[in-house]
PDB file of all heavy atoms in Angstrom:
ATOM      1  N   SER T  64     -54.443  63.320 361.440  1.00  0.00           N
ATOM      2  CA  SER T  64     -54.826  64.687 361.848  1.00  0.00           C
ATOM      3  C   SER T  64     -55.415  65.400 360.746  1.00  0.00           C
ATOM      4  O   SER T  64     -56.308  66.375 360.933  1.00  0.00           O
ATOM      5  CB  SER T  64     -53.704  65.363 362.512  1.00  0.00           C
ATOM      6  OG  SER T  64     -52.743  65.780 361.596  1.00  0.00           O
ATOM      7  N   GLY T  65     -55.009  65.190 359.487  1.00  0.00           N
ATOM      8  CA  GLY T  65     -55.427  66.015 358.435  1.00  0.00           C
ATOM      9  C   GLY T  65     -54.564  67.230 358.242  1.00  0.00           C
ATOM     10  O   GLY T  65     -54.830  68.059 357.219  1.00  0.00           O
ATOM     11  N   TYR T  66     -53.511  67.341 359.097  1.00  0.00           N
ATOM     12  CA  TYR T  66     -52.554  68.513 358.936  1.00  0.00           C
ATOM     13  C   TYR T  66     -51.215  67.987 358.484  1.00  0.00           C
ATOM     14  O   TYR T  66     -50.723  66.894 358.822  1.00  0.00           O
ATOM     15  CB  TYR T  66     -52.460  69.166 360.253  1.00  0.00           C
ATOM     16  CG  TYR T  66     -53.652  69.753 360.798  1.00  0.00           C
ATOM     17  CD1 TYR T  66     -54.419  69.220 361.764  1.00  0.00           C
ATOM     18  CD2 TYR T  66     -53.965  70.986 360.216  1.00  0.00           C
ATOM     19  CE1 TYR T  66     -55.524  69.815 362.204  1.00  0.00           C
ATOM     20  CE2 TYR T  66     -55.197  71.639 360.692  1.00  0.00           C
ATOM     21  CZ  TYR T  66     -55.971  71.066 361.655  1.00  0.00           C
ATOM     22  OH  TYR T  66     -57.101  71.615 362.138  1.00  0.00           O
ATOM     23  N   GLY T  67     -50.520  68.896 357.680  1.00  0.00           N
ATOM     24  CA  GLY T  67     -49.166  68.417 357.203  1.00  0.00           C
ATOM     25  C   GLY T  67     -49.212  67.306 356.126  1.00  0.00           C
ATOM     26  O   GLY T  67     -50.281  66.861 355.690  1.00  0.00           O
ATOM     27  N   GLN T  68     -48.124  66.903 355.795  1.00  0.00           N
ATOM     28  CA  GLN T  68     -47.998  65.899 354.755  1.00  0.00           C
ATOM     29  C   GLN T  68     -48.135  64.438 355.516  1.00  0.00           C
ATOM     30  O   GLN T  68     -47.437  64.085 356.381  1.00  0.00           O
ATOM     31  CB  GLN T  68     -46.499  65.861 354.165  1.00  0.00           C
ATOM     32  CG  GLN T  68     -46.244  64.907 353.142  1.00  0.00           C
ATOM     33  CD  GLN T  68     -47.065  65.064 351.800  1.00  0.00           C
ATOM     34  OE1 GLN T  68     -47.438  66.262 351.519  1.00  0.00           O
ATOM     35  NE2 GLN T  68     -47.406  64.018 351.149  1.00  0.00           N
ATOM     36  N   PRO T  69     -49.158  63.701 355.081  1.00  0.00           N
ATOM     37  CA  PRO T  69     -49.374  62.367 355.680  1.00  0.00           C
ATOM     38  C   PRO T  69     -48.211  61.418 355.341  1.00  0.00           C
ATOM     39  O   PRO T  69     -47.602  61.463 354.289  1.00  0.00           O
ATOM     40  CB  PRO T  69     -50.682  61.891 355.029  1.00  0.00           C
ATOM     41  CG  PRO T  69     -50.801  62.640 353.846  1.00  0.00           C
ATOM     42  CD  PRO T  69     -50.080  63.973 353.964  1.00  0.00           C
ATOM     43  N   GLY T  70     -47.920  60.518 356.303  1.00  0.00           N
ATOM     44  CA  GLY T  70     -46.861  59.575 356.062  1.00  0.00           C
ATOM     45  C   GLY T  70     -47.182  58.307 356.862  1.00  0.00           C
ATOM     46  O   GLY T  70     -48.189  58.118 357.556  1.00  0.00           O
ATOM     47  N   PHE T  71     -46.260  57.361 356.730  1.00  0.00           N
ATOM     48  CA  PHE T  71     -46.309  56.015 357.376  1.00  0.00           C
ATOM     49  C   PHE T  71     -44.967  55.803 357.972  1.00  0.00           C
ATOM     50  O   PHE T  71     -44.008  56.316 357.678  1.00  0.00           O
ATOM     51  CB  PHE T  71     -46.693  54.947 356.423  1.00  0.00           C
ATOM     52  CG  PHE T  71     -48.105  55.083 355.845  1.00  0.00           C
ATOM     53  CD1 PHE T  71     -48.335  55.830 354.715  1.00  0.00           C
ATOM     54  CD2 PHE T  71     -49.067  54.416 356.417  1.00  0.00           C
ATOM     55  CE1 PHE T  71     -49.669  56.030 354.290  1.00  0.00           C
ATOM     56  CE2 PHE T  71     -50.288  54.565 356.008  1.00  0.00           C
ATOM     57  CZ  PHE T  71     -50.680  55.331 354.946  1.00  0.00           C
ATOM     58  N   TYR T  72     -44.999  54.923 359.032  1.00  0.00           N
ATOM     59  CA  TYR T  72     -43.840  54.405 359.704  1.00  0.00           C
ATOM     60  C   TYR T  72     -43.731  52.974 359.506  1.00  0.00           C
ATOM     61  O   TYR T  72     -44.738  52.214 359.380  1.00  0.00           O
ATOM     62  CB  TYR T  72     -43.721  54.770 361.145  1.00  0.00           C
ATOM     63  CG  TYR T  72     -44.760  54.111 362.042  1.00  0.00           C
ATOM     64  CD1 TYR T  72     -44.354  52.858 362.608  1.00  0.00           C
ATOM     65  CD2 TYR T  72     -46.046  54.616 362.150  1.00  0.00           C
ATOM     66  CE1 TYR T  72     -45.318  52.157 363.359  1.00  0.00           C
ATOM     67  CE2 TYR T  72     -46.952  53.828 362.990  1.00  0.00           C
ATOM     68  CZ  TYR T  72     -46.631  52.703 363.526  1.00  0.00           C
ATOM     69  OH  TYR T  72     -47.497  51.998 364.358  1.00  0.00           O
ATOM     70  N   LYS T  73     -42.511  52.380 359.639  1.00  0.00           N
ATOM     71  CA  LYS T  73     -42.357  50.937 359.523  1.00  0.00           C
ATOM     72  C   LYS T  73     -41.263  50.714 360.676  1.00  0.00           C
ATOM     73  O   LYS T  73     -40.173  51.178 360.758  1.00  0.00           O
ATOM     74  CB  LYS T  73     -41.802  50.480 358.195  1.00  0.00           C
ATOM     75  CG  LYS T  73     -41.533  49.036 358.043  1.00  0.00           C
ATOM     76  CD  LYS T  73     -41.032  48.729 356.666  1.00  0.00           C
ATOM     77  CE  LYS T  73     -40.747  47.305 356.418  1.00  0.00           C
ATOM     78  NZ  LYS T  73     -40.298  46.930 355.125  1.00  0.00           N
ATOM     79  N   ASP T  74     -41.618  49.658 361.482  1.00  0.00           N
ATOM     80  CA  ASP T  74     -40.795  49.186 362.528  1.00  0.00           C
ATOM     81  C   ASP T  74     -40.547  47.629 362.184  1.00  0.00           C
ATOM     82  O   ASP T  74     -41.573  47.014 361.876  1.00  0.00           O
ATOM     83  CB  ASP T  74     -41.407  49.259 363.932  1.00  0.00           C
ATOM     84  CG  ASP T  74     -41.355  50.720 364.468  1.00  0.00           C
ATOM     85  OD1 ASP T  74     -40.601  51.411 364.007  1.00  0.00           O
ATOM     86  OD2 ASP T  74     -42.254  50.953 365.327  1.00  0.00           O
ATOM     87  N   THR T  75     -39.301  47.229 362.350  1.00  0.00           N
ATOM     88  CA  THR T  75     -39.041  45.805 362.146  1.00  0.00           C
ATOM     89  C   THR T  75     -38.095  45.325 363.145  1.00  0.00           C
ATOM     90  O   THR T  75     -37.277  46.036 363.730  1.00  0.00           O
ATOM     91  CB  THR T  75     -38.450  45.527 360.701  1.00  0.00           C
ATOM     92  OG1 THR T  75     -36.964  46.235 360.717  1.00  0.00           O
ATOM     93  CG2 THR T  75     -39.322  46.027 359.643  1.00  0.00           C
ATOM     94  N   ASN T  76     -38.189  44.006 363.543  1.00  0.00           N
ATOM     95  CA  ASN T  76     -37.137  43.483 364.291  1.00  0.00           C
ATOM     96  C   ASN T  76     -37.162  41.867 364.162  1.00  0.00           C
ATOM     97  O   ASN T  76     -38.274  41.314 363.748  1.00  0.00           O
ATOM     98  CB  ASN T  76     -37.321  43.807 365.743  1.00  0.00           C
ATOM     99  CG  ASN T  76     -38.593  43.242 366.490  1.00  0.00           C
ATOM    100  OD1 ASN T  76     -38.821  42.095 366.218  1.00  0.00           O
ATOM    101  ND2 ASN T  76     -39.117  44.147 367.225  1.00  0.00           N
ATOM    102  N   ALA T  77     -36.143  41.218 364.462  1.00  0.00           N
ATOM    103  CA  ALA T  77     -36.014  39.672 364.507  1.00  0.00           C
ATOM    104  C   ALA T  77     -35.530  39.384 365.786  1.00  0.00           C
ATOM    105  O   ALA T  77     -34.503  39.992 366.205  1.00  0.00           O
ATOM    106  CB  ALA T  77     -35.270  39.260 363.399  1.00  0.00           C
ATOM    107  N   SER T  78     -36.085  38.211 366.420  1.00  0.00           N
ATOM    108  CA  SER T  78     -35.613  37.749 367.755  1.00  0.00           C
ATOM    109  C   SER T  78     -35.612  36.324 367.838  1.00  0.00           C
ATOM    110  O   SER T  78     -36.510  35.680 367.181  1.00  0.00           O
ATOM    111  CB  SER T  78     -36.378  38.347 368.886  1.00  0.00           C
ATOM    112  OG  SER T  78     -37.813  38.029 368.756  1.00  0.00           O
ATOM    113  N   VAL T  79     -34.650  35.698 368.574  1.00  0.00           N
ATOM    114  CA  VAL T  79     -34.564  34.245 368.607  1.00  0.00           C
ATOM    115  C   VAL T  79     -35.653  33.865 369.726  1.00  0.00           C
ATOM    116  O   VAL T  79     -35.688  34.526 370.797  1.00  0.00           O
ATOM    117  CB  VAL T  79     -33.236  33.811 369.077  1.00  0.00           C
ATOM    118  CG1 VAL T  79     -33.211  32.395 369.461  1.00  0.00           C
ATOM    119  CG2 VAL T  79     -32.251  34.222 368.051  1.00  0.00           C
ATOM    120  N   THR T  80     -36.446  32.846 369.285  1.00  0.00           N
ATOM    121  CA  THR T  80     -37.438  32.428 370.339  1.00  0.00           C
ATOM    122  C   THR T  80     -37.236  30.976 370.795  1.00  0.00           C
ATOM    123  O   THR T  80     -37.909  30.550 371.795  1.00  0.00           O
ATOM    124  CB  THR T  80     -38.846  32.471 369.653  1.00  0.00           C
ATOM    125  OG1 THR T  80     -38.931  31.666 368.482  1.00  0.00           O
ATOM    126  CG2 THR T  80     -39.300  33.909 369.269  1.00  0.00           C
ATOM    127  N   TRP T  81     -36.357  30.255 370.144  1.00  0.00           N
ATOM    128  CA  TRP T  81     -35.970  28.906 370.541  1.00  0.00           C
ATOM    129  C   TRP T  81     -34.714  28.474 370.070  1.00  0.00           C
ATOM    130  O   TRP T  81     -34.307  28.913 368.799  1.00  0.00           O
ATOM    131  CB  TRP T  81     -36.997  27.997 370.129  1.00  0.00           C
ATOM    132  CG  TRP T  81     -36.787  26.485 370.527  1.00  0.00           C
ATOM    133  CD1 TRP T  81     -37.137  25.868 371.665  1.00  0.00           C
ATOM    134  CD2 TRP T  81     -36.084  25.503 369.724  1.00  0.00           C
ATOM    135  NE1 TRP T  81     -36.604  24.580 371.696  1.00  0.00           N
ATOM    136  CE2 TRP T  81     -36.042  24.306 370.461  1.00  0.00           C
ATOM    137  CE3 TRP T  81     -35.338  25.476 368.540  1.00  0.00           C
ATOM    138  CZ2 TRP T  81     -35.361  23.190 370.100  1.00  0.00           C
ATOM    139  CZ3 TRP T  81     -34.791  24.354 368.073  1.00  0.00           C
ATOM    140  CH2 TRP T  81     -34.665  23.219 368.852  1.00  0.00           C
ATOM    141  N   ASP T  82     -33.909  27.668 370.770  1.00  0.00           N
ATOM    142  CA  ASP T  82     -32.676  27.088 370.212  1.00  0.00           C
ATOM    143  C   ASP T  82     -32.335  25.730 370.877  1.00  0.00           C
ATOM    144  O   ASP T  82     -32.725  25.558 372.045  1.00  0.00           O
ATOM    145  CB  ASP T  82     -31.486  28.114 370.273  1.00  0.00           C
ATOM    146  CG  ASP T  82     -31.083  28.375 371.789  1.00  0.00           C
ATOM    147  OD1 ASP T  82     -30.439  27.436 372.318  1.00  0.00           O
ATOM    148  OD2 ASP T  82     -31.373  29.417 372.227  1.00  0.00           O
ATOM    149  N   CYS T  83     -31.702  24.944 370.144  1.00  0.00           N
ATOM    150  CA  CYS T  83     -31.180  23.657 370.713  1.00  0.00           C
ATOM    151  C   CYS T  83     -30.090  23.895 371.468  1.00  0.00           C
ATOM    152  O   CYS T  83     -29.466  24.999 371.576  1.00  0.00           O
ATOM    153  CB  CYS T  83     -30.991  22.526 369.591  1.00  0.00           C
ATOM    154  SG  CYS T  83     -29.449  22.924 368.646  1.00  0.00           S
ATOM    155  N   SER T  84     -29.606  22.911 372.196  1.00  0.00           N
ATOM    156  CA  SER T  84     -28.426  23.044 373.089  1.00  0.00           C
ATOM    157  C   SER T  84     -27.118  23.028 372.417  1.00  0.00           C
ATOM    158  O   SER T  84     -26.032  23.240 372.993  1.00  0.00           O
ATOM    159  CB  SER T  84     -28.468  22.063 374.258  1.00  0.00           C
ATOM    160  OG  SER T  84     -28.448  20.695 373.712  1.00  0.00           O
ATOM    161  N   ASN T  85     -27.011  22.682 371.139  1.00  0.00           N
ATOM    162  CA  ASN T  85     -25.909  22.486 370.359  1.00  0.00           C
ATOM    163  C   ASN T  85     -25.294  23.733 369.838  1.00  0.00           C
ATOM    164  O   ASN T  85     -25.568  24.090 368.561  1.00  0.00           O
ATOM    165  CB  ASN T  85     -26.065  21.474 369.381  1.00  0.00           C
ATOM    166  CG  ASN T  85     -24.705  20.953 368.595  1.00  0.00           C
ATOM    167  OD1 ASN T  85     -23.702  21.668 368.663  1.00  0.00           O
ATOM    168  ND2 ASN T  85     -24.707  19.918 368.015  1.00  0.00           N
ATOM    169  N   THR T  86     -24.729  24.625 370.640  1.00  0.00           N
ATOM    170  CA  THR T  86     -24.226  26.011 370.148  1.00  0.00           C
ATOM    171  C   THR T  86     -23.124  25.799 369.128  1.00  0.00           C
ATOM    172  O   THR T  86     -23.125  26.824 368.144  1.00  0.00           O
ATOM    173  CB  THR T  86     -23.692  26.701 371.328  1.00  0.00           C
ATOM    174  OG1 THR T  86     -22.534  26.116 371.937  1.00  0.00           O
ATOM    175  CG2 THR T  86     -24.828  27.122 372.265  1.00  0.00           C
ATOM    176  N   GLN T  87     -22.311  24.874 369.017  1.00  0.00           N
ATOM    177  CA  GLN T  87     -21.442  24.736 367.892  1.00  0.00           C
ATOM    178  C   GLN T  87     -22.081  24.562 366.655  1.00  0.00           C
ATOM    179  O   GLN T  87     -21.763  25.224 365.597  1.00  0.00           O
ATOM    180  CB  GLN T  87     -20.494  23.582 368.169  1.00  0.00           C
ATOM    181  CG  GLN T  87     -19.347  23.450 366.994  1.00  0.00           C
ATOM    182  CD  GLN T  87     -18.415  22.348 367.339  1.00  0.00           C
ATOM    183  OE1 GLN T  87     -18.301  21.776 368.457  1.00  0.00           O
ATOM    184  NE2 GLN T  87     -17.645  22.072 366.286  1.00  0.00           N
ATOM    185  N   LEU T  88     -23.067  23.606 366.576  1.00  0.00           N
ATOM    186  CA  LEU T  88     -23.872  23.493 365.304  1.00  0.00           C
ATOM    187  C   LEU T  88     -24.615  24.794 364.893  1.00  0.00           C
ATOM    188  O   LEU T  88     -24.605  25.038 363.749  1.00  0.00           O
ATOM    189  CB  LEU T  88     -24.815  22.392 365.426  1.00  0.00           C
ATOM    190  CG  LEU T  88     -25.656  21.894 364.251  1.00  0.00           C
ATOM    191  CD1 LEU T  88     -24.937  21.656 363.013  1.00  0.00           C
ATOM    192  CD2 LEU T  88     -26.722  20.852 364.571  1.00  0.00           C
ATOM    193  N   ILE T  89     -25.192  25.435 365.799  1.00  0.00           N
ATOM    194  CA  ILE T  89     -25.890  26.595 365.458  1.00  0.00           C
ATOM    195  C   ILE T  89     -24.920  27.712 364.843  1.00  0.00           C
ATOM    196  O   ILE T  89     -25.260  28.176 363.864  1.00  0.00           O
ATOM    197  CB  ILE T  89     -26.628  27.270 366.756  1.00  0.00           C
ATOM    198  CG1 ILE T  89     -27.757  26.412 367.226  1.00  0.00           C
ATOM    199  CG2 ILE T  89     -27.134  28.740 366.461  1.00  0.00           C
ATOM    200  CD1 ILE T  89     -28.285  26.828 368.536  1.00  0.00           C
ATOM    201  N   SER T  90     -23.709  27.841 365.378  1.00  0.00           N
ATOM    202  CA  SER T  90     -22.801  28.783 364.895  1.00  0.00           C
ATOM    203  C   SER T  90     -22.261  28.332 363.560  1.00  0.00           C
ATOM    204  O   SER T  90     -22.194  29.237 362.635  1.00  0.00           O
ATOM    205  CB  SER T  90     -21.464  28.768 365.913  1.00  0.00           C
ATOM    206  OG  SER T  90     -21.890  29.242 367.066  1.00  0.00           O
ATOM    207  N   GLU T  91     -22.052  27.003 363.327  1.00  0.00           N
ATOM    208  CA  GLU T  91     -21.678  26.661 362.023  1.00  0.00           C
ATOM    209  C   GLU T  91     -22.726  26.835 360.864  1.00  0.00           C
ATOM    210  O   GLU T  91     -22.421  27.376 359.856  1.00  0.00           O
ATOM    211  CB  GLU T  91     -21.312  25.084 361.987  1.00  0.00           C
ATOM    212  CG  GLU T  91     -20.148  24.790 362.753  1.00  0.00           C
ATOM    213  CD  GLU T  91     -19.941  23.281 362.939  1.00  0.00           C
ATOM    214  OE1 GLU T  91     -20.739  22.419 362.457  1.00  0.00           O
ATOM    215  OE2 GLU T  91     -19.000  22.932 363.714  1.00  0.00           O
ATOM    216  N   LEU T  92     -24.019  26.672 361.277  1.00  0.00           N
ATOM    217  CA  LEU T  92     -25.107  26.828 360.348  1.00  0.00           C
ATOM    218  C   LEU T  92     -25.387  28.384 360.112  1.00  0.00           C
ATOM    219  O   LEU T  92     -25.663  28.817 358.993  1.00  0.00           O
ATOM    220  CB  LEU T  92     -26.309  26.193 360.778  1.00  0.00           C
ATOM    221  CG  LEU T  92     -26.297  24.600 360.810  1.00  0.00           C
ATOM    222  CD1 LEU T  92     -27.697  24.050 361.371  1.00  0.00           C
ATOM    223  CD2 LEU T  92     -26.079  24.077 359.321  1.00  0.00           C
TER     224      LEU T  92
END
Side-chain angles (χ1 to χ4, degrees):
S64 71
Y66 295 102
Q68 182 68 30
F71 290 87
Y72 70 91
K73 180 178 180 179
D74 286 334
T75 63
N76 71 40
S78 58
V79 173
T80 58
W81 179 88
D82 64 76
C83 72
S84 59
N85 189 339
T86 56
Q87 181 177 346
L88 178 58
I89 292 171
S90 294
E91 290 171 4
L92 293 175

